[in-house]
Amino acid sequence: MPAHAALGRTPVDLGPAETLLVLRKVLGPLVAEGAIMRRPAVTAWAERRQVDRDLVRTLGSLRDRHGGAPLVLRLGPRRIVVVTEADDVARLLQGTPVPFSAATREKRGALDQFVPHGVLVSTAAGRTVRRPVNEAALDTGRPVHGDADLILEVVDREAHGLLARARERGILDWAAFTDAFTRAAREITLGPTARDDTPLTDTLTALRRAANWSYLHPRRKRLRRDLDSRIRLYARAAPPRTLLGRALARAEQDGTTGIADPAGQVPHWLFAFDAAGSTVFRALAVLASRPEARAAVLAEVIPPTSDHPPLLPASRAAVLEAVRLWPTTLLILRDSTEPTVWGARELPAGTGFAIVSAFFHRDERRLPFAHEFTPGAWSDGRAADDRGIVPFSGGPAACAGRDLVLLVASSWLTRLVAGGNLDLEGRSRYLARDPLPATVDHLGLRFTVGR
Ligand code: HEM
């Protein structure tokens, strides 16, 4: 009998018809959208079809039919267990990295293209060295990052420039936004000399596209060497108050530079800033469509002083709510490292587990506010304490960048709301009222900008 006590409901094997249903309505669309780099044509289709609405309904009816038991799919040699109860989400996340490893087969296949030494795909032993280095860089656990003054200066400058250009064009679209956002991300991560290094981001983007295919795509070794050597050039002279500078200092202090590979963590950070950008853009779309929510964010705009970077609670809550409503990590995966007991059944080591974020975040049975924009749920505990609402994952392998994301994203959001006279084109009426659409393609959002 394995060490871990029998918990919860006994998993059920899905038959061919139900397996096909989960593939068609749940896993298929998520994989097609691109887990690592979104595919624009598919995300536009996903919004038209509202694929997340189908996904929530499909998993909800399978949960009801099987009494909340984990759903076991056989996909060739692979066994994937899709959980449908919040308790099981908590068990998987709290049980990371042993007996539930975050370094799953699919994730390793994908991230090996651009961040093979990343903490997320590390063994339990590697994680003990790499996680502290990530936490030091990202200042995990602190709502205001130790280098917030510099970080917010960068955000201010880029947001200001973006708005000036948008006013001239009369339009703010994703291409212009992400250009400015990634400039800021590169500077925060690597220093001012990286601000305009768009080839670095282009190389990363090409590798991320290949990573969408996980282990099915051949390794793009030349591109990866290119990415690696560019980042290592920055590492030679990284300013101490950058994410990379902080990581290097921590590894040096721990005497772990070789194994922790601080420069090798950078591609994850740059890639993950993309999720922060899409969340800001979706939150901006909601605020542009809702005067009351916008007023709450504007009310907290005070002249920032470098001694006290503002916490912006309303803006942070809007960001959190946007990432609850439209999670950017579509699937959270785990592989068991040893046999695990679930109810009356033992599942072998190497079983894959999947948490479908959108299902838990929009679960009407648990959440009366499932489809409503409810930023207050983040301050009164309804969202923050819910075991199924996990936009930043949870447990020992939870997003190490969460606090930094909230600082950076809320600052971007507030600056754009305060500085731009923005009107959302087209979708405004869908976002102005509840229930909110299950799928929103951030790549297609466009605002007209008043002068
Ligand atoms: C809206 C923005 C973001 C969201 C929603 C998000 C969400 C997540 C999630 C769900 C995971 C766990 C993935 C898994 O278990 O497979 C994760 C891991 C991680 N994230 Fe984020 N992330 C965001 C942005 C960032 C940023 C900007 C950084 C760094 C600058 C970052 C750093 C990390 C790191 C280092 C891990 C790995 C943690 C570990 O394995 O111990 N994230 N993130």
Side-chain angles (χ1 to χ4, degrees), residues 10-14 18-19 22 26 58-74 79-84 88 345 347 352-354 359:
T10 303
V12 290
D13 290 310
L14 297 190
E18 286 182 336
T19 299
V22 175
V26 182
T58 304
L59 281 185
S61 69
L62 286 171
R63 173 184 57 194
D64 294 347
R65 197 179 307 158
H66 295 292
L71 310 170
V72 185
L73 283 81
R74 292 304 297 245
R79 189 198 307 256
I80 303 279
V81 180
V82 178
V83 294
T84 59
D88 292 335
R345 191 166 168 186
L347 296 174
F353 294 86
F359 170 64

PDB file of all heavy atoms in Angstrom, residues 10-14 18-19 22 26 58-74 79-84 88 345 347 352-354 359:
ATOM      1  N   THR A  10     -13.632   7.432  -5.788  1.00  0.00           N
ATOM      2  CA  THR A  10     -12.903   6.476  -6.619  1.00  0.00           C
ATOM      3  C   THR A  10     -12.987   6.884  -8.090  1.00  0.00           C
ATOM      4  O   THR A  10     -14.085   7.104  -8.606  1.00  0.00           O
ATOM      5  CB  THR A  10     -13.526   5.070  -6.436  1.00  0.00           C
ATOM      6  OG1 THR A  10     -13.483   4.764  -5.037  1.00  0.00           O
ATOM      7  CG2 THR A  10     -12.760   4.024  -7.222  1.00  0.00           C
ATOM      8  N   PRO A  11     -11.852   7.028  -8.778  1.00  0.00           N
ATOM      9  CA  PRO A  11     -11.879   7.451 -10.187  1.00  0.00           C
ATOM     10  C   PRO A  11     -12.662   6.474 -11.065  1.00  0.00           C
ATOM     11  O   PRO A  11     -12.669   5.263 -10.813  1.00  0.00           O
ATOM     12  CB  PRO A  11     -10.396   7.439 -10.571  1.00  0.00           C
ATOM     13  CG  PRO A  11      -9.657   7.562  -9.288  1.00  0.00           C
ATOM     14  CD  PRO A  11     -10.487   6.863  -8.262  1.00  0.00           C
ATOM     15  N   VAL A  12     -13.328   7.013 -12.089  1.00  0.00           N
ATOM     16  CA  VAL A  12     -14.072   6.153 -13.029  1.00  0.00           C
ATOM     17  C   VAL A  12     -13.390   6.201 -14.397  1.00  0.00           C
ATOM     18  O   VAL A  12     -12.928   7.256 -14.828  1.00  0.00           O
ATOM     19  CB  VAL A  12     -15.544   6.615 -13.216  1.00  0.00           C
ATOM     20  CG1 VAL A  12     -16.357   6.359 -11.990  1.00  0.00           C
ATOM     21  CG2 VAL A  12     -15.625   8.070 -13.644  1.00  0.00           C
ATOM     22  N   ASP A  13     -13.368   5.055 -15.058  1.00  0.00           N
ATOM     23  CA  ASP A  13     -12.839   5.006 -16.427  1.00  0.00           C
ATOM     24  C   ASP A  13     -13.929   5.467 -17.375  1.00  0.00           C
ATOM     25  O   ASP A  13     -15.042   4.925 -17.353  1.00  0.00           O
ATOM     26  CB  ASP A  13     -12.455   3.562 -16.783  1.00  0.00           C
ATOM     27  CG  ASP A  13     -11.238   3.113 -15.996  1.00  0.00           C
ATOM     28  OD1 ASP A  13     -10.234   3.852 -15.980  1.00  0.00           O
ATOM     29  OD2 ASP A  13     -11.300   2.025 -15.377  1.00  0.00           O
ATOM     30  N   LEU A  14     -13.624   6.436 -18.201  1.00  0.00           N
ATOM     31  CA  LEU A  14     -14.609   6.863 -19.192  1.00  0.00           C
ATOM     32  C   LEU A  14     -14.594   5.885 -20.360  1.00  0.00           C
ATOM     33  O   LEU A  14     -13.536   5.404 -20.772  1.00  0.00           O
ATOM     34  CB  LEU A  14     -14.285   8.276 -19.700  1.00  0.00           C
ATOM     35  CG  LEU A  14     -14.338   9.407 -18.671  1.00  0.00           C
ATOM     36  CD1 LEU A  14     -14.229  10.768 -19.367  1.00  0.00           C
ATOM     37  CD2 LEU A  14     -15.618   9.364 -17.833  1.00  0.00           C
ATOM     38  N   GLU A  18     -17.593   8.947 -23.965  1.00  0.00           N
ATOM     39  CA  GLU A  18     -17.297  10.052 -23.039  1.00  0.00           C
ATOM     40  C   GLU A  18     -15.862  10.564 -23.219  1.00  0.00           C
ATOM     41  O   GLU A  18     -15.602  11.749 -23.090  1.00  0.00           O
ATOM     42  CB  GLU A  18     -17.541   9.609 -21.594  1.00  0.00           C
ATOM     43  CG  GLU A  18     -19.038   9.514 -21.283  1.00  0.00           C
ATOM     44  CD  GLU A  18     -19.325   9.114 -19.836  1.00  0.00           C
ATOM     45  OE1 GLU A  18     -18.443   8.488 -19.203  1.00  0.00           O
ATOM     46  OE2 GLU A  18     -20.422   9.416 -19.350  1.00  0.00           O
ATOM     47  N   THR A  19     -14.959   9.647 -23.532  1.00  0.00           N
ATOM     48  CA  THR A  19     -13.571  10.073 -23.792  1.00  0.00           C
ATOM     49  C   THR A  19     -13.550  11.013 -24.986  1.00  0.00           C
ATOM     50  O   THR A  19     -12.927  12.085 -24.950  1.00  0.00           O
ATOM     51  CB  THR A  19     -12.678   8.834 -24.071  1.00  0.00           C
ATOM     52  OG1 THR A  19     -12.693   8.015 -22.915  1.00  0.00           O
ATOM     53  CG2 THR A  19     -11.245   9.239 -24.384  1.00  0.00           C
ATOM     54  N   VAL A  22     -14.848  14.464 -24.065  1.00  0.00           N
ATOM     55  CA  VAL A  22     -13.852  15.293 -23.347  1.00  0.00           C
ATOM     56  C   VAL A  22     -12.780  15.795 -24.318  1.00  0.00           C
ATOM     57  O   VAL A  22     -12.356  16.952 -24.253  1.00  0.00           O
ATOM     58  CB  VAL A  22     -13.218  14.498 -22.176  1.00  0.00           C
ATOM     59  CG1 VAL A  22     -12.104  15.306 -21.504  1.00  0.00           C
ATOM     60  CG2 VAL A  22     -14.278  14.122 -21.150  1.00  0.00           C
ATOM     61  N   VAL A  26     -13.278  19.634 -24.494  1.00  0.00           N
ATOM     62  CA  VAL A  26     -12.445  20.180 -23.411  1.00  0.00           C
ATOM     63  C   VAL A  26     -10.972  20.246 -23.844  1.00  0.00           C
ATOM     64  O   VAL A  26     -10.438  21.333 -24.086  1.00  0.00           O
ATOM     65  CB  VAL A  26     -12.602  19.341 -22.119  1.00  0.00           C
ATOM     66  CG1 VAL A  26     -11.771  19.933 -20.988  1.00  0.00           C
ATOM     67  CG2 VAL A  26     -14.070  19.242 -21.715  1.00  0.00           C
ATOM     68  N   THR A  58     -19.778  20.614 -20.349  1.00  0.00           N
ATOM     69  CA  THR A  58     -19.415  19.200 -20.544  1.00  0.00           C
ATOM     70  C   THR A  58     -18.850  18.610 -19.253  1.00  0.00           C
ATOM     71  O   THR A  58     -19.302  17.547 -18.795  1.00  0.00           O
ATOM     72  CB  THR A  58     -18.365  19.070 -21.673  1.00  0.00           C
ATOM     73  OG1 THR A  58     -18.902  19.670 -22.834  1.00  0.00           O
ATOM     74  CG2 THR A  58     -18.009  17.628 -21.930  1.00  0.00           C
ATOM     75  N   LEU A  59     -17.901  19.312 -18.646  1.00  0.00           N
ATOM     76  CA  LEU A  59     -17.304  18.754 -17.420  1.00  0.00           C
ATOM     77  C   LEU A  59     -18.320  18.759 -16.282  1.00  0.00           C
ATOM     78  O   LEU A  59     -18.341  17.842 -15.452  1.00  0.00           O
ATOM     79  CB  LEU A  59     -16.058  19.536 -17.020  1.00  0.00           C
ATOM     80  CG  LEU A  59     -14.795  19.200 -17.804  1.00  0.00           C
ATOM     81  CD1 LEU A  59     -13.606  19.953 -17.237  1.00  0.00           C
ATOM     82  CD2 LEU A  59     -14.507  17.701 -17.789  1.00  0.00           C
ATOM     83  N   GLY A  60     -19.196  19.789 -16.261  1.00  0.00           N
ATOM     84  CA  GLY A  60     -20.223  19.843 -15.213  1.00  0.00           C
ATOM     85  C   GLY A  60     -21.156  18.653 -15.322  1.00  0.00           C
ATOM     86  O   GLY A  60     -21.490  18.015 -14.309  1.00  0.00           O
ATOM     87  N   SER A  61     -21.558  18.290 -16.542  1.00  0.00           N
ATOM     88  CA  SER A  61     -22.504  17.170 -16.637  1.00  0.00           C
ATOM     89  C   SER A  61     -21.804  15.843 -16.352  1.00  0.00           C
ATOM     90  O   SER A  61     -22.391  14.945 -15.747  1.00  0.00           O
ATOM     91  CB  SER A  61     -23.250  17.179 -17.979  1.00  0.00           C
ATOM     92  OG  SER A  61     -22.355  16.867 -18.991  1.00  0.00           O
ATOM     93  N   LEU A  62     -20.519  15.738 -16.721  1.00  0.00           N
ATOM     94  CA  LEU A  62     -19.796  14.490 -16.391  1.00  0.00           C
ATOM     95  C   LEU A  62     -19.580  14.378 -14.885  1.00  0.00           C
ATOM     96  O   LEU A  62     -19.652  13.292 -14.302  1.00  0.00           O
ATOM     97  CB  LEU A  62     -18.450  14.443 -17.119  1.00  0.00           C
ATOM     98  CG  LEU A  62     -18.539  14.150 -18.616  1.00  0.00           C
ATOM     99  CD1 LEU A  62     -17.186  14.347 -19.286  1.00  0.00           C
ATOM    100  CD2 LEU A  62     -19.034  12.719 -18.867  1.00  0.00           C
ATOM    101  N   ARG A  63     -19.343  15.519 -14.240  1.00  0.00           N
ATOM    102  CA  ARG A  63     -19.193  15.486 -12.778  1.00  0.00           C
ATOM    103  C   ARG A  63     -20.496  15.003 -12.133  1.00  0.00           C
ATOM    104  O   ARG A  63     -20.476  14.151 -11.241  1.00  0.00           O
ATOM    105  CB  ARG A  63     -18.844  16.866 -12.243  1.00  0.00           C
ATOM    106  CG  ARG A  63     -18.853  16.893 -10.712  1.00  0.00           C
ATOM    107  CD  ARG A  63     -18.603  18.253 -10.132  1.00  0.00           C
ATOM    108  NE  ARG A  63     -19.552  19.240 -10.603  1.00  0.00           N
ATOM    109  CZ  ARG A  63     -19.409  20.551 -10.460  1.00  0.00           C
ATOM    110  NH1 ARG A  63     -18.326  21.022  -9.880  1.00  0.00           N
ATOM    111  NH2 ARG A  63     -20.313  21.381 -10.912  1.00  0.00           N
ATOM    112  N   ASP A  64     -21.629  15.556 -12.602  1.00  0.00           N
ATOM    113  CA  ASP A  64     -22.910  15.162 -12.009  1.00  0.00           C
ATOM    114  C   ASP A  64     -23.184  13.674 -12.254  1.00  0.00           C
ATOM    115  O   ASP A  64     -23.596  12.952 -11.360  1.00  0.00           O
ATOM    116  CB  ASP A  64     -24.052  16.011 -12.589  1.00  0.00           C
ATOM    117  CG  ASP A  64     -23.892  17.477 -12.178  1.00  0.00           C
ATOM    118  OD1 ASP A  64     -23.073  17.737 -11.266  1.00  0.00           O
ATOM    119  OD2 ASP A  64     -24.549  18.342 -12.785  1.00  0.00           O
ATOM    120  N   ARG A  65     -22.906  13.245 -13.490  1.00  0.00           N
ATOM    121  CA  ARG A  65     -23.190  11.843 -13.827  1.00  0.00           C
ATOM    122  C   ARG A  65     -22.340  10.890 -13.009  1.00  0.00           C
ATOM    123  O   ARG A  65     -22.792   9.811 -12.619  1.00  0.00           O
ATOM    124  CB  ARG A  65     -22.907  11.635 -15.319  1.00  0.00           C
ATOM    125  CG  ARG A  65     -23.528  10.376 -15.881  1.00  0.00           C
ATOM    126  CD  ARG A  65     -23.241  10.235 -17.369  1.00  0.00           C
ATOM    127  NE  ARG A  65     -23.615  11.419 -18.138  1.00  0.00           N
ATOM    128  CZ  ARG A  65     -23.110  11.725 -19.346  1.00  0.00           C
ATOM    129  NH1 ARG A  65     -22.219  10.941 -19.905  1.00  0.00           N
ATOM    130  NH2 ARG A  65     -23.508  12.805 -19.977  1.00  0.00           N
ATOM    131  N   HIS A  66     -21.095  11.277 -12.717  1.00  0.00           N
ATOM    132  CA  HIS A  66     -20.186  10.343 -12.022  1.00  0.00           C
ATOM    133  C   HIS A  66     -19.951  10.745 -10.562  1.00  0.00           C
ATOM    134  O   HIS A  66     -18.978  10.304  -9.939  1.00  0.00           O
ATOM    135  CB  HIS A  66     -18.858  10.257 -12.771  1.00  0.00           C
ATOM    136  CG  HIS A  66     -19.003   9.657 -14.145  1.00  0.00           C
ATOM    137  ND1 HIS A  66     -19.334   8.331 -14.352  1.00  0.00           N
ATOM    138  CD2 HIS A  66     -18.911  10.215 -15.375  1.00  0.00           C
ATOM    139  CE1 HIS A  66     -19.409   8.091 -15.658  1.00  0.00           C
ATOM    140  NE2 HIS A  66     -19.163   9.222 -16.301  1.00  0.00           N
ATOM    141  N   GLY A  67     -20.819  11.588 -10.047  1.00  0.00           N
ATOM    142  CA  GLY A  67     -20.763  11.921  -8.623  1.00  0.00           C
ATOM    143  C   GLY A  67     -19.462  12.583  -8.181  1.00  0.00           C
ATOM    144  O   GLY A  67     -19.028  12.400  -7.040  1.00  0.00           O
ATOM    145  N   GLY A  68     -18.829  13.341  -9.081  1.00  0.00           N
ATOM    146  CA  GLY A  68     -17.606  14.056  -8.693  1.00  0.00           C
ATOM    147  C   GLY A  68     -16.356  13.197  -8.707  1.00  0.00           C
ATOM    148  O   GLY A  68     -15.297  13.644  -8.265  1.00  0.00           O
ATOM    149  N   ALA A  69     -16.475  11.960  -9.202  1.00  0.00           N
ATOM    150  CA  ALA A  69     -15.289  11.094  -9.249  1.00  0.00           C
ATOM    151  C   ALA A  69     -14.314  11.620 -10.295  1.00  0.00           C
ATOM    152  O   ALA A  69     -14.740  12.135 -11.330  1.00  0.00           O
ATOM    153  CB  ALA A  69     -15.706   9.676  -9.623  1.00  0.00           C
ATOM    154  N   PRO A  70     -13.006  11.490 -10.036  1.00  0.00           N
ATOM    155  CA  PRO A  70     -12.032  11.849 -11.073  1.00  0.00           C
ATOM    156  C   PRO A  70     -12.291  11.017 -12.343  1.00  0.00           C
ATOM    157  O   PRO A  70     -12.627   9.825 -12.251  1.00  0.00           O
ATOM    158  CB  PRO A  70     -10.689  11.489 -10.432  1.00  0.00           C
ATOM    159  CG  PRO A  70     -10.943  11.553  -8.949  1.00  0.00           C
ATOM    160  CD  PRO A  70     -12.358  11.080  -8.775  1.00  0.00           C
ATOM    161  N   LEU A  71     -12.132  11.653 -13.511  1.00  0.00           N
ATOM    162  CA  LEU A  71     -12.476  11.014 -14.777  1.00  0.00           C
ATOM    163  C   LEU A  71     -11.195  10.500 -15.446  1.00  0.00           C
ATOM    164  O   LEU A  71     -10.288  11.283 -15.728  1.00  0.00           O
ATOM    165  CB  LEU A  71     -13.164  12.023 -15.696  1.00  0.00           C
ATOM    166  CG  LEU A  71     -14.337  12.810 -15.068  1.00  0.00           C
ATOM    167  CD1 LEU A  71     -14.771  13.953 -15.983  1.00  0.00           C
ATOM    168  CD2 LEU A  71     -15.510  11.866 -14.764  1.00  0.00           C
ATOM    169  N   VAL A  72     -11.136   9.189 -15.687  1.00  0.00           N
ATOM    170  CA  VAL A  72      -9.905   8.595 -16.233  1.00  0.00           C
ATOM    171  C   VAL A  72     -10.046   8.399 -17.742  1.00  0.00           C
ATOM    172  O   VAL A  72     -10.953   7.714 -18.206  1.00  0.00           O
ATOM    173  CB  VAL A  72      -9.611   7.234 -15.567  1.00  0.00           C
ATOM    174  CG1 VAL A  72      -8.270   6.684 -16.057  1.00  0.00           C
ATOM    175  CG2 VAL A  72      -9.624   7.360 -14.049  1.00  0.00           C
ATOM    176  N   LEU A  73      -9.145   9.021 -18.498  1.00  0.00           N
ATOM    177  CA  LEU A  73      -9.140   8.867 -19.956  1.00  0.00           C
ATOM    178  C   LEU A  73      -7.928   8.032 -20.348  1.00  0.00           C
ATOM    179  O   LEU A  73      -6.835   8.259 -19.815  1.00  0.00           O
ATOM    180  CB  LEU A  73      -8.972  10.222 -20.648  1.00  0.00           C
ATOM    181  CG  LEU A  73     -10.153  11.158 -20.733  1.00  0.00           C
ATOM    182  CD1 LEU A  73     -10.330  11.911 -19.431  1.00  0.00           C
ATOM    183  CD2 LEU A  73      -9.914  12.176 -21.846  1.00  0.00           C
ATOM    184  N   ARG A  74      -8.113   7.109 -21.286  1.00  0.00           N
ATOM    185  CA  ARG A  74      -6.949   6.390 -21.828  1.00  0.00           C
ATOM    186  C   ARG A  74      -6.640   6.986 -23.184  1.00  0.00           C
ATOM    187  O   ARG A  74      -7.474   6.953 -24.082  1.00  0.00           O
ATOM    188  CB  ARG A  74      -7.257   4.890 -21.996  1.00  0.00           C
ATOM    189  CG  ARG A  74      -7.457   4.115 -20.695  1.00  0.00           C
ATOM    190  CD  ARG A  74      -6.276   4.233 -19.754  1.00  0.00           C
ATOM    191  NE  ARG A  74      -5.039   3.678 -20.261  1.00  0.00           N
ATOM    192  CZ  ARG A  74      -4.418   2.641 -19.728  1.00  0.00           C
ATOM    193  NH1 ARG A  74      -4.906   2.017 -18.679  1.00  0.00           N
ATOM    194  NH2 ARG A  74      -3.278   2.209 -20.240  1.00  0.00           N
ATOM    195  N   ARG A  79      -2.395   7.573 -19.428  1.00  0.00           N
ATOM    196  CA  ARG A  79      -3.625   7.640 -18.649  1.00  0.00           C
ATOM    197  C   ARG A  79      -3.694   9.044 -18.045  1.00  0.00           C
ATOM    198  O   ARG A  79      -2.790   9.464 -17.321  1.00  0.00           O
ATOM    199  CB  ARG A  79      -3.550   6.603 -17.524  1.00  0.00           C
ATOM    200  CG  ARG A  79      -4.838   6.402 -16.747  1.00  0.00           C
ATOM    201  CD  ARG A  79      -4.553   5.728 -15.413  1.00  0.00           C
ATOM    202  NE  ARG A  79      -3.794   4.504 -15.545  1.00  0.00           N
ATOM    203  CZ  ARG A  79      -4.309   3.277 -15.437  1.00  0.00           C
ATOM    204  NH1 ARG A  79      -5.578   3.112 -15.173  1.00  0.00           N
ATOM    205  NH2 ARG A  79      -3.548   2.216 -15.561  1.00  0.00           N
ATOM    206  N   ILE A  80      -4.769   9.788 -18.404  1.00  0.00           N
ATOM    207  CA  ILE A  80      -4.917  11.150 -17.887  1.00  0.00           C
ATOM    208  C   ILE A  80      -6.181  11.199 -17.033  1.00  0.00           C
ATOM    209  O   ILE A  80      -7.256  10.769 -17.466  1.00  0.00           O
ATOM    210  CB  ILE A  80      -5.082  12.180 -19.028  1.00  0.00           C
ATOM    211  CG1 ILE A  80      -3.914  12.131 -20.012  1.00  0.00           C
ATOM    212  CG2 ILE A  80      -5.276  13.593 -18.471  1.00  0.00           C
ATOM    213  CD1 ILE A  80      -2.676  12.882 -19.585  1.00  0.00           C
ATOM    214  N   VAL A  81      -6.029  11.736 -15.830  1.00  0.00           N
ATOM    215  CA  VAL A  81      -7.162  11.827 -14.915  1.00  0.00           C
ATOM    216  C   VAL A  81      -7.581  13.291 -14.819  1.00  0.00           C
ATOM    217  O   VAL A  81      -6.787  14.147 -14.409  1.00  0.00           O
ATOM    218  CB  VAL A  81      -6.768  11.295 -13.521  1.00  0.00           C
ATOM    219  CG1 VAL A  81      -7.935  11.381 -12.561  1.00  0.00           C
ATOM    220  CG2 VAL A  81      -6.272   9.863 -13.634  1.00  0.00           C
ATOM    221  N   VAL A  82      -8.820  13.576 -15.222  1.00  0.00           N
ATOM    222  CA  VAL A  82      -9.328  14.950 -15.151  1.00  0.00           C
ATOM    223  C   VAL A  82     -10.141  15.057 -13.857  1.00  0.00           C
ATOM    224  O   VAL A  82     -11.116  14.315 -13.673  1.00  0.00           O
ATOM    225  CB  VAL A  82     -10.209  15.266 -16.380  1.00  0.00           C
ATOM    226  CG1 VAL A  82     -10.781  16.677 -16.283  1.00  0.00           C
ATOM    227  CG2 VAL A  82      -9.414  15.106 -17.671  1.00  0.00           C
ATOM    228  N   VAL A  83      -9.740  15.966 -12.973  1.00  0.00           N
ATOM    229  CA  VAL A  83     -10.466  16.075 -11.693  1.00  0.00           C
ATOM    230  C   VAL A  83     -11.608  17.079 -11.841  1.00  0.00           C
ATOM    231  O   VAL A  83     -11.525  18.026 -12.636  1.00  0.00           O
ATOM    232  CB  VAL A  83      -9.534  16.468 -10.515  1.00  0.00           C
ATOM    233  CG1 VAL A  83      -8.534  15.355 -10.243  1.00  0.00           C
ATOM    234  CG2 VAL A  83      -8.814  17.777 -10.770  1.00  0.00           C
ATOM    235  N   THR A  84     -12.675  16.871 -11.064  1.00  0.00           N
ATOM    236  CA  THR A  84     -13.851  17.750 -11.190  1.00  0.00           C
ATOM    237  C   THR A  84     -14.310  18.313  -9.836  1.00  0.00           C
ATOM    238  O   THR A  84     -15.328  18.978  -9.762  1.00  0.00           O
ATOM    239  CB  THR A  84     -15.038  16.985 -11.830  1.00  0.00           C
ATOM    240  OG1 THR A  84     -15.346  15.858 -11.008  1.00  0.00           O
ATOM    241  CG2 THR A  84     -14.734  16.543 -13.245  1.00  0.00           C
ATOM    242  N   ASP A  88     -10.006  17.792  -4.903  1.00  0.00           N
ATOM    243  CA  ASP A  88      -8.979  17.069  -5.660  1.00  0.00           C
ATOM    244  C   ASP A  88      -7.946  18.028  -6.250  1.00  0.00           C
ATOM    245  O   ASP A  88      -6.773  17.688  -6.369  1.00  0.00           O
ATOM    246  CB  ASP A  88      -9.634  16.214  -6.756  1.00  0.00           C
ATOM    247  CG  ASP A  88     -10.444  15.067  -6.155  1.00  0.00           C
ATOM    248  OD1 ASP A  88     -10.125  14.653  -5.019  1.00  0.00           O
ATOM    249  OD2 ASP A  88     -11.404  14.600  -6.796  1.00  0.00           O
ATOM    250  N   ARG A 345      -9.309   2.924  -5.157  1.00  0.00           N
ATOM    251  CA  ARG A 345      -8.487   2.539  -6.307  1.00  0.00           C
ATOM    252  C   ARG A 345      -7.071   3.079  -6.186  1.00  0.00           C
ATOM    253  O   ARG A 345      -6.866   4.174  -5.672  1.00  0.00           O
ATOM    254  CB  ARG A 345      -9.161   3.133  -7.539  1.00  0.00           C
ATOM    255  CG  ARG A 345      -8.632   2.636  -8.836  1.00  0.00           C
ATOM    256  CD  ARG A 345      -9.565   3.016  -9.964  1.00  0.00           C
ATOM    257  NE  ARG A 345      -8.908   2.783 -11.214  1.00  0.00           N
ATOM    258  CZ  ARG A 345      -9.392   3.108 -12.383  1.00  0.00           C
ATOM    259  NH1 ARG A 345     -10.587   3.693 -12.456  1.00  0.00           N
ATOM    260  NH2 ARG A 345      -8.726   2.850 -13.491  1.00  0.00           N
ATOM    261  N   LEU A 347      -3.840   4.271  -8.378  1.00  0.00           N
ATOM    262  CA  LEU A 347      -3.402   4.630  -9.728  1.00  0.00           C
ATOM    263  C   LEU A 347      -1.886   4.539  -9.765  1.00  0.00           C
ATOM    264  O   LEU A 347      -1.213   4.983  -8.834  1.00  0.00           O
ATOM    265  CB  LEU A 347      -3.861   6.047 -10.081  1.00  0.00           C
ATOM    266  CG  LEU A 347      -5.385   6.248 -10.157  1.00  0.00           C
ATOM    267  CD1 LEU A 347      -5.735   7.722 -10.358  1.00  0.00           C
ATOM    268  CD2 LEU A 347      -5.991   5.405 -11.283  1.00  0.00           C
ATOM    269  N   GLY A 352      -1.051  10.751 -15.393  1.00  0.00           N
ATOM    270  CA  GLY A 352      -1.157  12.205 -15.583  1.00  0.00           C
ATOM    271  C   GLY A 352      -2.448  12.727 -14.967  1.00  0.00           C
ATOM    272  O   GLY A 352      -3.479  12.032 -14.977  1.00  0.00           O
ATOM    273  N   PHE A 353      -2.405  13.922 -14.411  1.00  0.00           N
ATOM    274  CA  PHE A 353      -3.604  14.560 -13.824  1.00  0.00           C
ATOM    275  C   PHE A 353      -3.784  15.932 -14.456  1.00  0.00           C
ATOM    276  O   PHE A 353      -2.790  16.640 -14.683  1.00  0.00           O
ATOM    277  CB  PHE A 353      -3.453  14.712 -12.310  1.00  0.00           C
ATOM    278  CG  PHE A 353      -3.412  13.394 -11.580  1.00  0.00           C
ATOM    279  CD1 PHE A 353      -2.211  12.709 -11.437  1.00  0.00           C
ATOM    280  CD2 PHE A 353      -4.575  12.836 -11.067  1.00  0.00           C
ATOM    281  CE1 PHE A 353      -2.169  11.481 -10.783  1.00  0.00           C
ATOM    282  CE2 PHE A 353      -4.540  11.613 -10.405  1.00  0.00           C
ATOM    283  CZ  PHE A 353      -3.338  10.934 -10.264  1.00  0.00           C
ATOM    284  N   ALA A 354      -5.041  16.292 -14.725  1.00  0.00           N
ATOM    285  CA  ALA A 354      -5.279  17.603 -15.351  1.00  0.00           C
ATOM    286  C   ALA A 354      -6.332  18.379 -14.568  1.00  0.00           C
ATOM    287  O   ALA A 354      -7.389  17.835 -14.210  1.00  0.00           O
ATOM    288  CB  ALA A 354      -5.744  17.414 -16.793  1.00  0.00           C
ATOM    289  N   PHE A 359     -13.021  25.512 -15.896  1.00  0.00           N
ATOM    290  CA  PHE A 359     -14.146  24.785 -15.305  1.00  0.00           C
ATOM    291  C   PHE A 359     -14.327  25.177 -13.837  1.00  0.00           C
ATOM    292  O   PHE A 359     -15.426  25.505 -13.386  1.00  0.00           O
ATOM    293  CB  PHE A 359     -13.931  23.274 -15.439  1.00  0.00           C
ATOM    294  CG  PHE A 359     -14.922  22.464 -14.655  1.00  0.00           C
ATOM    295  CD1 PHE A 359     -16.272  22.502 -14.978  1.00  0.00           C
ATOM    296  CD2 PHE A 359     -14.508  21.689 -13.578  1.00  0.00           C
ATOM    297  CE1 PHE A 359     -17.206  21.782 -14.241  1.00  0.00           C
ATOM    298  CE2 PHE A 359     -15.424  20.970 -12.840  1.00  0.00           C
ATOM    299  CZ  PHE A 359     -16.778  21.012 -13.168  1.00  0.00           C
TER     300      PHE A 359
END
